[in-house]
Amino acid sequence: MILWAETEADADQFLDLIGNPKIFNQIFCAKKGPGSKYLGGKYFVYNLEKKFLSKEIIDAPESIRELTQWCSPDIIISKDNKPLLVIELTFHTLVYNNVAQRIPRIAKSAEKRIPSIIFQKTDYQDNILLSWFCRSLNNLGNIYNTKALPIFFD
């Protein structure tokens, strides 16, 4: 399997969360400082042993480029050039500008029929926003016949 991360920090964070980075044969990151070109399919190679991004750049397959045309998701997991899952990880509480960033990423994966999971921190104080967020994900799933699962934590 291949892990596609938006940033090196996203890759590190996700690998720490799963505890077994060896399930991935390769890891690539979309952004490395200014001048990232992931919209054109350019990704940096992540060295798992040394835990850093190299200067080596690869061309992502079309299936990955299609998922990143609005913005790069935090994590894409693929196998044989086929995306299997999109993951968003956010440790910011649910606020409107955060939703505006996350929903398009999930919407693009839904449009491509790729299931997604969003780990969303919340303080559970804004029931209107929380309800709207859940309905948005549910609507995406209904429109595109795919799954968009929110997992809330505090």
Side-chain angles (χ1 to χ4, degrees), residues 33-47:
S36 298
K37 295 182 170 59
Y38 68 88
L39 291 176
K42 306 296 184 191
Y43 275 74
F44 295 93
V45 176
Y46 179 92
N47 184 317

Side-chain angles (χ1 to χ4, degrees), residues 70 102-112 140 144:
W70 293 344
R102 304 296 170 173
I103 293 292
R105 296 173 178 193
I106 300 299
K108 192 64 172 173
S109 67
E111 176 189 54
K112 297 296 179 187
L140 285 170
Y144 294 110

Side-chain angles (χ1 to χ4, degrees), residues 14-68:
F14 183 72
L15 293 171
D16 286 344
L17 283 172
I18 65 167
N20 183 12
K22 295 183 182 191
I23 64 170
F24 297 105
N25 301 330
Q26 296 174 296
I27 300 172
F28 303 108
C29 295
K31 297 177 180 176
K32 181 180 181 179
S36 298
K37 295 182 170 59
Y38 68 88
L39 291 176
K42 306 296 184 191
Y43 275 74
F44 295 93
V45 176
Y46 179 92
N47 184 317
L48 184 56
E49 289 180 18
K50 297 180 181 175
K51 290 194 125 186
F52 81 96
L53 282 180
S54 73
K55 293 181 180 180
E56 182 183 355
I57 296 175
I58 60 102
D59 288 315
E62 182 65 24
S63 59
I64 299 300
R65 284 187 295 227
E66 289 175 351
L67 284 175
T68 61

Side-chain angles (χ1 to χ4, degrees), residues 135-146:
R135 281 194 320 266
S136 297
L137 296 176
N138 187 58
N139 289 341
L140 285 170
N142 290 337
I143 292 166
Y144 294 110
N145 194 28
T146 191

Side-chain angles (χ1 to χ4, degrees), residues 85-87 106 109-110 114-118 137 146-150:
L85 182 65
V86 167
I87 301 170
I106 300 299
S109 67
I114 309 299
S116 60
I117 299 172
I118 180 166
L137 296 176
T146 191
K147 302 295 181 204
L149 175 67

